[in-house]
Every structure is written in structure tokens, then in C-alpha cells.
Amino acid sequence: MTKKGPEDASTVDWHQAPGEKQPPRLMAALSIVSHPVPRRVGQRLVLHELTEGRSVALSRNEPDFMHPHGGLAEPLADPFLSRNPVVLSAGPAGSLCLEAPEGSKISIAGEPLRGSRVLSAVEVATGVPLELAERVVVLLHLAAPQARASAEALDMVGNSLGLQRVRNDIEHVADLDVPVLIRGETGSGKELIAKALYRRSPRRDRPFISVNLGALPKELAAAELFGAVKGAYSGAVRDREGLFRAAHGGTLFLDEVGEASPEVQVMLLRVLEEREMFPVGSSTAVPTDVRLVTATDAHLEKLIQEGRFKGPLLHRLAGYEIRVPPLRERREDIGPLFLHFAREELEAIGETHRLSNPEGWSEPWLPASLASWLVRYPWPGNIRQLRNLTRQIIISNRGQPGGLRLDPRLEQELAPPPAPPRVSPPVEPPAPEPKSTLQHKVSDFSEQELSAALEACGWEIKSAATRLGVARSSLQEWYQRHVNPTLSAEEFSRTYEECQGDMDSMVQRLRMSRWAIVRRLRELGLQRP
């Protein structure tokens, strides 16, 4: 998810409206989280049938799954799965209905399914794990209809829409000499992105230096970064080169840039504006040639309001901005990530035979209950937390027969998340609620859920606020901050020309309502064809 590209969003109406030119941008999909045959993890199926009003049968023999990068399409084919299918069909307001045959062994998010169950659009957008016969786990989620894996994975595991957008951003900006600001939660992989930018840049043969500003003593940070002359401060017994000069001609990655002191912020601003710096204690400017990549999990705009971060510096750092989605918003990547980390740890202890199950007859290497738990857990520490947990699981199961098990101590520390709410959406859109009866706050929803509601309502703030049960003003504020900052007249006009005035295309590209687009057209004196 990036500021430059469209947000993760969903179209929660599975059926096309009459006369609609394009299919919904996102559709329901199934991704394999866990399978007795490990190579099947990550295979996916986009449920196109639902957009055409047809149902989908899920069983041992149908439908066919395949990896996003291509290859053989094949059914789940586990011999313990029933041939009698679970049937998925589209419901009203973006909901989905699951109907299980009598005697089937299927659980939804750990809860056995008896008969039928309606999943709301919000549940589908969040991701719902389906456990089949206690052996296979597939995740019901949203995906782009034509999305395929990048030819270049950039050492990033997963094929979620959010991760694909990060890869695309890297491809767009890597060869340019502009500063990049990477924003995302702690543990979400920001340094991995910085290294991918470096490897794809013309500076790939020059130094790459990474430093965590939060770990530098504030009184020494300026000297560490920009160097210092002998005698500049107590203990400076010789000239100090500094990290900028050490990275000359290459890339300098500054993590936790929100922790920079006021002195460092001023010096960074000069480097970005003048491409020169003053070592601490020196009155002579030193030219610098460094591609600066920074990262933060802080709300820099809030720090600016509090006077703790300089606005001009943010604008300079964000020559291009990449937003990294948290792991809870890319749940379809959790299965492949866990397998990737598990394979690394198993290789380290010489137990890769745990993943040798080509036919799938033996006990699953990853129990369905644990796989379902993995995709339901909120992962506040993101990928770093998942990697650490994987290592603990592998080591605690070292030398033990059978599938992996979660240590009881870990299970107690990481209490399972509550089951997703059962919400049966109304057939008709709800009437607008008065402010006094609003049910939720914007902070109750993830970015994906908010974007899903907005896109479903054609980016109409009022309609989306009614659908979510939140205050219109709060949703408007979130929309302007995260989705659609004010575009310049030049950017808007360019989009108008590229879309050849097509309103549907402009709504999708700009993530603005038709009314807002028409108003801006009038302001700029542009005429619709």
C-alpha cells in the first residue's frame, strides 16, 4: 500500500451493475495456507464465478488451484477430504454464503460449520480461514482478478495485493536518484525494502550502510552521521569520517528517522537541499553523494504538529513514499512466510525431512488448527514476530515425531484472537443513522476494511460512513490523510487526459467520487466528452 498507488480496497458487490464496463477490481479468492504436501502452500484460486452469479463447489476434486507465478493447476486432492463439496455463493451487500453437506468436516476460523453460514463483506475483506477435514486450510479473502506474481520477487515472500504494490513501487523508483521514505509498522520489513531498492539501483556496486537512529546516543548522533573534526567535543581525539562519507557514492539507510534530534534534522535537510554537509566542529562544507533511504513507524505528521519534527524535512525525505502493509492486512502471505521460515530453521537443525511428503498420506507437517490460528492472529510484531515464533516452534519440536505443535507456554502467552463477528448483512442498504446512534469509530477498522467500504460506495464518504456506522467527518479526515491528498491541477489534468475523460476510469484512478471529480472538472474548466 503506497501513497502513490491505490489503497488496498475491495468491491463488496460481487455482481456487476448493468452497463458496468469493467469487473470489480477485487474478487473473492481462496489461498492454500497449509496442505499435507508443502509445495501446495501459496496456491490460489480467484472465484470469478461469484461475479457471474454462479456458485463454487469446494471439495477434494474441485476446483483447481495454482501458484500465482503459474504452473500446474490441480485440485486439493487430499485423500482424506470429502468428495461432497462445500458450496460458496454470493449474497447481498458483498456477503458470501457457505453451505456444508451433512457430515462434512469443515470449520470456519476454528468453529465447526453446521449447515450454512453467511460471511459479511468485512469478514471476507479481513480474511477467513476454512479448515477442511483437519488437514487442509484455505483462506477466503480478496484478490485482484488478474494478479500474477512479479517476475522478480525481490527476496520478498508472498503475493498479496499489498506486497505486489510494494514491489511495483520498488521497480518504479529504484533506478532514480530520489530520496525514498518507507513507512510501516515495526517488524513489517522496511529494511528488506531498502536493500531491494539498493540492489535494483545504479549504486548497487557501491556501499550500502544501514543505521538505526533510535539506537544512536543523541549526543553523538550528529558526529556518527556527518563526521567530526578533532576536538569538536569531549573525547574527539581525531577526525571522524561519519556514515555519510562512508556511504559516498552508495546508499545510506536511516531507520527510525522519526527519532532524529533537532540538530540532526537540520543537518539532514541541508544534505537533501544542498548535497553538502558540515562535519561537527567544522566550518567547511563537504560535498556528499549519497542516495538517502529512510524508514519510520512513527506518525510524522503528528510529530510535526507537536513541534518535534520539521515539516520541510518530511517533504524532502518523501521524494517518493512506500507504505508497507502490516501482516494482518496480507493474511494470504502468512502460510508461504511460515513455510519459508520453517524450511530455513529445519535446514539449520537437519530436519528438512519433515517437509518431505510428496503424496500427502501421512500426518500434516502443520496441523490445520495451528495453521488457522496463524492466519487469525493479529501479529502486532508483524513479520519479525512471525519469524521468531516459527523459530521457537521448530526448535521446541526438534526430534519429535509427527506434525509441528505449539508449545503450551507459547500458546498461553499468545492467546488466540477472538472469532470474527457473525454479521448477516441486510438485504437492503441500511438507512443513515443519526450521529447519536453511531455504532463504531474509524479506528475500529483496518485500512483494508475502510478502503473496501469506500470503494464499494464509489468513494462517496457519506454512503461509506453510513455503511460502516461511523461519523462522516471522521471518515472524511481518514480519507484525506490516507487515501487521497489534494491533487495538483497538473496531476488531475494529466489523469483526465490519460483516461480520455472516462468517468469510470477516473473514479478508479483517483479514488474520488463522481461528484468530486465533476466539481474539480468545473473548477479547472475541463469539459467531459
Side-chain angles (χ1 to χ4, degrees), residues 400-433:
Q400 298 181 14
L404 300 174
R405 297 290 185 272
L406 187 63
D407 182 89
R409 178 182 57 83
L410 287 175
E411 189 172 4
Q412 186 174 9
E413 290 179 5
L414 304 170
R422 282 192 174 193
V423 180
S424 295
V427 175
E428 297 296 331
E433 293 181 285

PDB file of all heavy atoms in Angstrom, residues 400-433:
ATOM      1  N   GLN A 400      11.043 -34.520  17.597  1.00  0.00           N
ATOM      2  CA  GLN A 400       9.763 -35.136  17.928  1.00  0.00           C
ATOM      3  C   GLN A 400       9.081 -35.618  16.652  1.00  0.00           C
ATOM      4  O   GLN A 400       9.110 -34.934  15.630  1.00  0.00           O
ATOM      5  CB  GLN A 400       8.871 -34.137  18.661  1.00  0.00           C
ATOM      6  CG  GLN A 400       9.442 -33.665  19.990  1.00  0.00           C
ATOM      7  CD  GLN A 400       8.509 -32.694  20.698  1.00  0.00           C
ATOM      8  OE1 GLN A 400       7.348 -32.576  20.336  1.00  0.00           O
ATOM      9  NE2 GLN A 400       9.032 -32.024  21.712  1.00  0.00           N
ATOM     10  N   PRO A 401       8.444 -36.786  16.708  1.00  0.00           N
ATOM     11  CA  PRO A 401       7.760 -37.299  15.512  1.00  0.00           C
ATOM     12  C   PRO A 401       6.457 -36.557  15.261  1.00  0.00           C
ATOM     13  O   PRO A 401       5.916 -35.877  16.136  1.00  0.00           O
ATOM     14  CB  PRO A 401       7.500 -38.766  15.881  1.00  0.00           C
ATOM     15  CG  PRO A 401       7.380 -38.748  17.377  1.00  0.00           C
ATOM     16  CD  PRO A 401       8.336 -37.700  17.854  1.00  0.00           C
ATOM     17  N   GLY A 402       5.942 -36.713  14.059  1.00  0.00           N
ATOM     18  CA  GLY A 402       4.645 -36.127  13.734  1.00  0.00           C
ATOM     19  C   GLY A 402       4.742 -34.664  13.335  1.00  0.00           C
ATOM     20  O   GLY A 402       5.813 -34.115  13.092  1.00  0.00           O
ATOM     21  N   GLY A 403       3.562 -34.025  13.281  1.00  0.00           N
ATOM     22  CA  GLY A 403       3.498 -32.638  12.856  1.00  0.00           C
ATOM     23  C   GLY A 403       3.958 -31.675  13.936  1.00  0.00           C
ATOM     24  O   GLY A 403       4.179 -32.043  15.095  1.00  0.00           O
ATOM     25  N   LEU A 404       4.113 -30.425  13.552  1.00  0.00           N
ATOM     26  CA  LEU A 404       4.539 -29.385  14.483  1.00  0.00           C
ATOM     27  C   LEU A 404       3.425 -29.081  15.480  1.00  0.00           C
ATOM     28  O   LEU A 404       2.241 -29.136  15.151  1.00  0.00           O
ATOM     29  CB  LEU A 404       4.904 -28.116  13.712  1.00  0.00           C
ATOM     30  CG  LEU A 404       6.036 -28.249  12.683  1.00  0.00           C
ATOM     31  CD1 LEU A 404       6.184 -26.950  11.905  1.00  0.00           C
ATOM     32  CD2 LEU A 404       7.348 -28.617  13.360  1.00  0.00           C
ATOM     33  N   ARG A 405       3.826 -28.741  16.684  1.00  0.00           N
ATOM     34  CA  ARG A 405       2.867 -28.367  17.724  1.00  0.00           C
ATOM     35  C   ARG A 405       3.311 -27.069  18.373  1.00  0.00           C
ATOM     36  O   ARG A 405       4.513 -26.794  18.490  1.00  0.00           O
ATOM     37  CB  ARG A 405       2.777 -29.461  18.799  1.00  0.00           C
ATOM     38  CG  ARG A 405       2.272 -30.815  18.299  1.00  0.00           C
ATOM     39  CD  ARG A 405       0.794 -30.757  17.941  1.00  0.00           C
ATOM     40  NE  ARG A 405       0.281 -32.078  17.582  1.00  0.00           N
ATOM     41  CZ  ARG A 405       0.308 -32.596  16.375  1.00  0.00           C
ATOM     42  NH1 ARG A 405       0.863 -31.908  15.382  1.00  0.00           N
ATOM     43  NH2 ARG A 405      -0.194 -33.795  16.140  1.00  0.00           N
ATOM     44  N   LEU A 406       2.343 -26.278  18.806  1.00  0.00           N
ATOM     45  CA  LEU A 406       2.635 -25.038  19.503  1.00  0.00           C
ATOM     46  C   LEU A 406       2.858 -25.347  20.974  1.00  0.00           C
ATOM     47  O   LEU A 406       2.021 -25.973  21.626  1.00  0.00           O
ATOM     48  CB  LEU A 406       1.476 -24.049  19.333  1.00  0.00           C
ATOM     49  CG  LEU A 406       1.697 -22.640  19.879  1.00  0.00           C
ATOM     50  CD1 LEU A 406       2.844 -21.960  19.141  1.00  0.00           C
ATOM     51  CD2 LEU A 406       0.422 -21.809  19.709  1.00  0.00           C
ATOM     52  N   ASP A 407       4.010 -24.939  21.474  1.00  0.00           N
ATOM     53  CA  ASP A 407       4.340 -25.172  22.874  1.00  0.00           C
ATOM     54  C   ASP A 407       3.259 -24.566  23.774  1.00  0.00           C
ATOM     55  O   ASP A 407       2.818 -23.439  23.532  1.00  0.00           O
ATOM     56  CB  ASP A 407       5.703 -24.532  23.178  1.00  0.00           C
ATOM     57  CG  ASP A 407       6.144 -24.758  24.599  1.00  0.00           C
ATOM     58  OD1 ASP A 407       6.803 -25.781  24.857  1.00  0.00           O
ATOM     59  OD2 ASP A 407       5.816 -23.921  25.455  1.00  0.00           O
ATOM     60  N   PRO A 408       2.814 -25.303  24.808  1.00  0.00           N
ATOM     61  CA  PRO A 408       1.748 -24.781  25.693  1.00  0.00           C
ATOM     62  C   PRO A 408       2.076 -23.416  26.288  1.00  0.00           C
ATOM     63  O   PRO A 408       1.185 -22.582  26.459  1.00  0.00           O
ATOM     64  CB  PRO A 408       1.641 -25.856  26.781  1.00  0.00           C
ATOM     65  CG  PRO A 408       2.124 -27.106  26.127  1.00  0.00           C
ATOM     66  CD  PRO A 408       3.196 -26.678  25.178  1.00  0.00           C
ATOM     67  N   ARG A 409       3.364 -23.192  26.598  1.00  0.00           N
ATOM     68  CA  ARG A 409       3.732 -21.888  27.149  1.00  0.00           C
ATOM     69  C   ARG A 409       3.503 -20.784  26.131  1.00  0.00           C
ATOM     70  O   ARG A 409       2.958 -19.721  26.455  1.00  0.00           O
ATOM     71  CB  ARG A 409       5.204 -21.916  27.573  1.00  0.00           C
ATOM     72  CG  ARG A 409       5.712 -20.589  28.131  1.00  0.00           C
ATOM     73  CD  ARG A 409       7.198 -20.703  28.477  1.00  0.00           C
ATOM     74  NE  ARG A 409       7.991 -21.103  27.332  1.00  0.00           N
ATOM     75  CZ  ARG A 409       8.422 -20.248  26.394  1.00  0.00           C
ATOM     76  NH1 ARG A 409       8.083 -18.965  26.457  1.00  0.00           N
ATOM     77  NH2 ARG A 409       9.158 -20.679  25.390  1.00  0.00           N
ATOM     78  N   LEU A 410       3.914 -21.037  24.880  1.00  0.00           N
ATOM     79  CA  LEU A 410       3.689 -20.046  23.828  1.00  0.00           C
ATOM     80  C   LEU A 410       2.205 -19.852  23.582  1.00  0.00           C
ATOM     81  O   LEU A 410       1.732 -18.727  23.360  1.00  0.00           O
ATOM     82  CB  LEU A 410       4.374 -20.484  22.528  1.00  0.00           C
ATOM     83  CG  LEU A 410       5.897 -20.389  22.487  1.00  0.00           C
ATOM     84  CD1 LEU A 410       6.409 -20.984  21.178  1.00  0.00           C
ATOM     85  CD2 LEU A 410       6.335 -18.948  22.632  1.00  0.00           C
ATOM     86  N   GLU A 411       1.462 -20.954  23.612  1.00  0.00           N
ATOM     87  CA  GLU A 411       0.024 -20.870  23.380  1.00  0.00           C
ATOM     88  C   GLU A 411      -0.642 -19.995  24.435  1.00  0.00           C
ATOM     89  O   GLU A 411      -1.583 -19.251  24.137  1.00  0.00           O
ATOM     90  CB  GLU A 411      -0.581 -22.268  23.393  1.00  0.00           C
ATOM     91  CG  GLU A 411      -2.033 -22.310  22.947  1.00  0.00           C
ATOM     92  CD  GLU A 411      -2.537 -23.727  22.799  1.00  0.00           C
ATOM     93  OE1 GLU A 411      -1.774 -24.662  23.120  1.00  0.00           O
ATOM     94  OE2 GLU A 411      -3.678 -23.890  22.346  1.00  0.00           O
ATOM     95  N   GLN A 412      -0.130 -20.062  25.662  1.00  0.00           N
ATOM     96  CA  GLN A 412      -0.701 -19.245  26.723  1.00  0.00           C
ATOM     97  C   GLN A 412      -0.301 -17.788  26.567  1.00  0.00           C
ATOM     98  O   GLN A 412      -1.095 -16.880  26.789  1.00  0.00           O
ATOM     99  CB  GLN A 412      -0.237 -19.771  28.085  1.00  0.00           C
ATOM    100  CG  GLN A 412      -0.902 -19.081  29.272  1.00  0.00           C
ATOM    101  CD  GLN A 412      -0.514 -19.722  30.585  1.00  0.00           C
ATOM    102  OE1 GLN A 412       0.369 -20.570  30.634  1.00  0.00           O
ATOM    103  NE2 GLN A 412      -1.182 -19.318  31.652  1.00  0.00           N
ATOM    104  N   GLU A 413       0.965 -17.553  26.179  1.00  0.00           N
ATOM    105  CA  GLU A 413       1.435 -16.188  26.000  1.00  0.00           C
ATOM    106  C   GLU A 413       0.731 -15.501  24.829  1.00  0.00           C
ATOM    107  O   GLU A 413       0.426 -14.304  24.883  1.00  0.00           O
ATOM    108  CB  GLU A 413       2.946 -16.182  25.753  1.00  0.00           C
ATOM    109  CG  GLU A 413       3.770 -16.550  26.969  1.00  0.00           C
ATOM    110  CD  GLU A 413       5.257 -16.562  26.661  1.00  0.00           C
ATOM    111  OE1 GLU A 413       5.618 -16.190  25.512  1.00  0.00           O
ATOM    112  OE2 GLU A 413       6.043 -16.938  27.540  1.00  0.00           O
ATOM    113  N   LEU A 414       0.504 -16.252  23.771  1.00  0.00           N
ATOM    114  CA  LEU A 414      -0.118 -15.704  22.571  1.00  0.00           C
ATOM    115  C   LEU A 414      -1.557 -16.199  22.510  1.00  0.00           C
ATOM    116  O   LEU A 414      -1.894 -17.090  21.741  1.00  0.00           O
ATOM    117  CB  LEU A 414       0.653 -16.133  21.327  1.00  0.00           C
ATOM    118  CG  LEU A 414       2.145 -15.760  21.319  1.00  0.00           C
ATOM    119  CD1 LEU A 414       2.844 -16.440  20.165  1.00  0.00           C
ATOM    120  CD2 LEU A 414       2.317 -14.259  21.240  1.00  0.00           C
ATOM    121  N   ALA A 415      -2.390 -15.639  23.362  1.00  0.00           N
ATOM    122  CA  ALA A 415      -3.780 -16.081  23.425  1.00  0.00           C
ATOM    123  C   ALA A 415      -4.416 -15.935  22.063  1.00  0.00           C
ATOM    124  O   ALA A 415      -4.208 -14.935  21.365  1.00  0.00           O
ATOM    125  CB  ALA A 415      -4.544 -15.254  24.452  1.00  0.00           C
ATOM    126  N   PRO A 416      -5.186 -16.925  21.616  1.00  0.00           N
ATOM    127  CA  PRO A 416      -5.805 -16.847  20.291  1.00  0.00           C
ATOM    128  C   PRO A 416      -6.748 -15.670  20.199  1.00  0.00           C
ATOM    129  O   PRO A 416      -7.394 -15.300  21.188  1.00  0.00           O
ATOM    130  CB  PRO A 416      -6.560 -18.175  20.165  1.00  0.00           C
ATOM    131  CG  PRO A 416      -6.757 -18.631  21.562  1.00  0.00           C
ATOM    132  CD  PRO A 416      -5.589 -18.128  22.346  1.00  0.00           C
ATOM    133  N   PRO A 417      -6.827 -15.045  19.036  1.00  0.00           N
ATOM    134  CA  PRO A 417      -7.723 -13.906  18.869  1.00  0.00           C
ATOM    135  C   PRO A 417      -9.167 -14.353  18.917  1.00  0.00           C
ATOM    136  O   PRO A 417      -9.474 -15.521  18.679  1.00  0.00           O
ATOM    137  CB  PRO A 417      -7.360 -13.382  17.472  1.00  0.00           C
ATOM    138  CG  PRO A 417      -6.870 -14.594  16.758  1.00  0.00           C
ATOM    139  CD  PRO A 417      -6.164 -15.433  17.790  1.00  0.00           C
ATOM    140  N   PRO A 418     -10.068 -13.442  19.239  1.00  0.00           N
ATOM    141  CA  PRO A 418     -11.483 -13.812  19.246  1.00  0.00           C
ATOM    142  C   PRO A 418     -11.962 -14.147  17.846  1.00  0.00           C
ATOM    143  O   PRO A 418     -11.419 -13.661  16.854  1.00  0.00           O
ATOM    144  CB  PRO A 418     -12.172 -12.535  19.770  1.00  0.00           C
ATOM    145  CG  PRO A 418     -11.220 -11.436  19.455  1.00  0.00           C
ATOM    146  CD  PRO A 418      -9.848 -12.031  19.576  1.00  0.00           C
ATOM    147  N   ALA A 419     -12.939 -15.024  17.775  1.00  0.00           N
ATOM    148  CA  ALA A 419     -13.510 -15.388  16.475  1.00  0.00           C
ATOM    149  C   ALA A 419     -14.122 -14.159  15.829  1.00  0.00           C
ATOM    150  O   ALA A 419     -14.634 -13.266  16.510  1.00  0.00           O
ATOM    151  CB  ALA A 419     -14.570 -16.467  16.663  1.00  0.00           C
ATOM    152  N   PRO A 420     -14.061 -14.045  14.489  1.00  0.00           N
ATOM    153  CA  PRO A 420     -14.647 -12.879  13.828  1.00  0.00           C
ATOM    154  C   PRO A 420     -16.136 -12.805  14.096  1.00  0.00           C
ATOM    155  O   PRO A 420     -16.803 -13.824  14.260  1.00  0.00           O
ATOM    156  CB  PRO A 420     -14.366 -13.143  12.333  1.00  0.00           C
ATOM    157  CG  PRO A 420     -14.119 -14.616  12.248  1.00  0.00           C
ATOM    158  CD  PRO A 420     -13.515 -15.015  13.542  1.00  0.00           C
ATOM    159  N   PRO A 421     -16.677 -11.594  14.183  1.00  0.00           N
ATOM    160  CA  PRO A 421     -18.099 -11.451  14.499  1.00  0.00           C
ATOM    161  C   PRO A 421     -18.975 -12.027  13.403  1.00  0.00           C
ATOM    162  O   PRO A 421     -18.647 -11.960  12.225  1.00  0.00           O
ATOM    163  CB  PRO A 421     -18.279  -9.926  14.587  1.00  0.00           C
ATOM    164  CG  PRO A 421     -17.184  -9.361  13.737  1.00  0.00           C
ATOM    165  CD  PRO A 421     -16.031 -10.313  13.900  1.00  0.00           C
ATOM    166  N   ARG A 422     -20.068 -12.597  13.827  1.00  0.00           N
ATOM    167  CA  ARG A 422     -21.048 -13.097  12.865  1.00  0.00           C
ATOM    168  C   ARG A 422     -21.997 -11.960  12.538  1.00  0.00           C
ATOM    169  O   ARG A 422     -22.810 -11.549  13.367  1.00  0.00           O
ATOM    170  CB  ARG A 422     -21.835 -14.261  13.461  1.00  0.00           C
ATOM    171  CG  ARG A 422     -21.083 -15.569  13.469  1.00  0.00           C
ATOM    172  CD  ARG A 422     -22.037 -16.688  13.786  1.00  0.00           C
ATOM    173  NE  ARG A 422     -21.402 -17.977  13.664  1.00  0.00           N
ATOM    174  CZ  ARG A 422     -22.092 -19.114  13.651  1.00  0.00           C
ATOM    175  NH1 ARG A 422     -23.402 -19.099  13.746  1.00  0.00           N
ATOM    176  NH2 ARG A 422     -21.467 -20.257  13.540  1.00  0.00           N
ATOM    177  N   VAL A 423     -21.891 -11.484  11.351  1.00  0.00           N
ATOM    178  CA  VAL A 423     -22.737 -10.385  10.934  1.00  0.00           C
ATOM    179  C   VAL A 423     -23.439 -10.784   9.649  1.00  0.00           C
ATOM    180  O   VAL A 423     -22.790 -11.027   8.636  1.00  0.00           O
ATOM    181  CB  VAL A 423     -21.929  -9.088  10.701  1.00  0.00           C
ATOM    182  CG1 VAL A 423     -22.843  -7.975  10.268  1.00  0.00           C
ATOM    183  CG2 VAL A 423     -21.175  -8.710  11.970  1.00  0.00           C
ATOM    184  N   SER A 424     -24.746 -10.869   9.685  1.00  0.00           N
ATOM    185  CA  SER A 424     -25.509 -11.145   8.471  1.00  0.00           C
ATOM    186  C   SER A 424     -25.971  -9.812   7.912  1.00  0.00           C
ATOM    187  O   SER A 424     -26.814  -9.136   8.517  1.00  0.00           O
ATOM    188  CB  SER A 424     -26.727 -12.023   8.790  1.00  0.00           C
ATOM    189  OG  SER A 424     -26.286 -13.282   9.243  1.00  0.00           O
ATOM    190  N   PRO A 425     -25.412  -9.374   6.807  1.00  0.00           N
ATOM    191  CA  PRO A 425     -25.739  -8.052   6.297  1.00  0.00           C
ATOM    192  C   PRO A 425     -27.186  -7.983   5.833  1.00  0.00           C
ATOM    193  O   PRO A 425     -27.756  -8.969   5.361  1.00  0.00           O
ATOM    194  CB  PRO A 425     -24.786  -7.877   5.107  1.00  0.00           C
ATOM    195  CG  PRO A 425     -24.441  -9.268   4.710  1.00  0.00           C
ATOM    196  CD  PRO A 425     -24.468 -10.089   5.949  1.00  0.00           C
ATOM    197  N   PRO A 426     -27.820  -6.817   5.948  1.00  0.00           N
ATOM    198  CA  PRO A 426     -29.197  -6.653   5.495  1.00  0.00           C
ATOM    199  C   PRO A 426     -29.277  -6.736   3.986  1.00  0.00           C
ATOM    200  O   PRO A 426     -28.322  -6.442   3.281  1.00  0.00           O
ATOM    201  CB  PRO A 426     -29.565  -5.247   5.998  1.00  0.00           C
ATOM    202  CG  PRO A 426     -28.252  -4.543   6.117  1.00  0.00           C
ATOM    203  CD  PRO A 426     -27.247  -5.596   6.504  1.00  0.00           C
ATOM    204  N   VAL A 427     -30.441  -7.151   3.506  1.00  0.00           N
ATOM    205  CA  VAL A 427     -30.646  -7.244   2.060  1.00  0.00           C
ATOM    206  C   VAL A 427     -30.624  -5.859   1.450  1.00  0.00           C
ATOM    207  O   VAL A 427     -30.040  -5.631   0.399  1.00  0.00           O
ATOM    208  CB  VAL A 427     -31.988  -7.951   1.758  1.00  0.00           C
ATOM    209  CG1 VAL A 427     -32.256  -7.934   0.267  1.00  0.00           C
ATOM    210  CG2 VAL A 427     -31.950  -9.383   2.273  1.00  0.00           C
ATOM    211  N   GLU A 428     -31.249  -4.900   2.105  1.00  0.00           N
ATOM    212  CA  GLU A 428     -31.265  -3.533   1.609  1.00  0.00           C
ATOM    213  C   GLU A 428     -30.226  -2.711   2.363  1.00  0.00           C
ATOM    214  O   GLU A 428     -29.964  -2.945   3.540  1.00  0.00           O
ATOM    215  CB  GLU A 428     -32.654  -2.902   1.829  1.00  0.00           C
ATOM    216  CG  GLU A 428     -33.756  -3.605   1.049  1.00  0.00           C
ATOM    217  CD  GLU A 428     -33.561  -3.483  -0.445  1.00  0.00           C
ATOM    218  OE1 GLU A 428     -32.979  -2.477  -0.883  1.00  0.00           O
ATOM    219  OE2 GLU A 428     -33.996  -4.383  -1.170  1.00  0.00           O
ATOM    220  N   PRO A 429     -29.612  -1.711   1.710  1.00  0.00           N
ATOM    221  CA  PRO A 429     -28.665  -0.853   2.417  1.00  0.00           C
ATOM    222  C   PRO A 429     -29.348  -0.184   3.602  1.00  0.00           C
ATOM    223  O   PRO A 429     -30.504   0.249   3.494  1.00  0.00           O
ATOM    224  CB  PRO A 429     -28.252   0.179   1.350  1.00  0.00           C
ATOM    225  CG  PRO A 429     -28.544  -0.482   0.056  1.00  0.00           C
ATOM    226  CD  PRO A 429     -29.740  -1.357   0.294  1.00  0.00           C
ATOM    227  N   PRO A 430     -28.675  -0.109   4.741  1.00  0.00           N
ATOM    228  CA  PRO A 430     -29.299   0.487   5.915  1.00  0.00           C
ATOM    229  C   PRO A 430     -29.517   1.980   5.727  1.00  0.00           C
ATOM    230  O   PRO A 430     -28.774   2.650   5.006  1.00  0.00           O
ATOM    231  CB  PRO A 430     -28.266   0.227   7.019  1.00  0.00           C
ATOM    232  CG  PRO A 430     -26.968   0.111   6.290  1.00  0.00           C
ATOM    233  CD  PRO A 430     -27.297  -0.530   4.972  1.00  0.00           C
ATOM    234  N   ALA A 431     -30.550   2.473   6.360  1.00  0.00           N
ATOM    235  CA  ALA A 431     -30.827   3.907   6.325  1.00  0.00           C
ATOM    236  C   ALA A 431     -29.765   4.638   7.138  1.00  0.00           C
ATOM    237  O   ALA A 431     -29.231   4.095   8.100  1.00  0.00           O
ATOM    238  CB  ALA A 431     -32.212   4.191   6.908  1.00  0.00           C
ATOM    239  N   PRO A 432     -29.439   5.884   6.768  1.00  0.00           N
ATOM    240  CA  PRO A 432     -28.439   6.637   7.529  1.00  0.00           C
ATOM    241  C   PRO A 432     -28.852   6.746   8.993  1.00  0.00           C
ATOM    242  O   PRO A 432     -30.008   7.018   9.309  1.00  0.00           O
ATOM    243  CB  PRO A 432     -28.436   8.012   6.830  1.00  0.00           C
ATOM    244  CG  PRO A 432     -28.948   7.745   5.456  1.00  0.00           C
ATOM    245  CD  PRO A 432     -29.949   6.632   5.614  1.00  0.00           C
ATOM    246  N   GLU A 433     -27.873   6.526   9.869  1.00  0.00           N
ATOM    247  CA  GLU A 433     -28.151   6.594  11.288  1.00  0.00           C
ATOM    248  C   GLU A 433     -27.844   7.982  11.813  1.00  0.00           C
ATOM    249  O   GLU A 433     -26.874   8.622  11.383  1.00  0.00           O
ATOM    250  CB  GLU A 433     -27.281   5.577  12.038  1.00  0.00           C
ATOM    251  CG  GLU A 433     -27.620   4.153  11.721  1.00  0.00           C
ATOM    252  CD  GLU A 433     -26.743   3.214  12.519  1.00  0.00           C
ATOM    253  OE1 GLU A 433     -25.571   3.090  12.169  1.00  0.00           O
ATOM    254  OE2 GLU A 433     -27.241   2.624  13.484  1.00  0.00           O
TER     255      GLU A 433
END
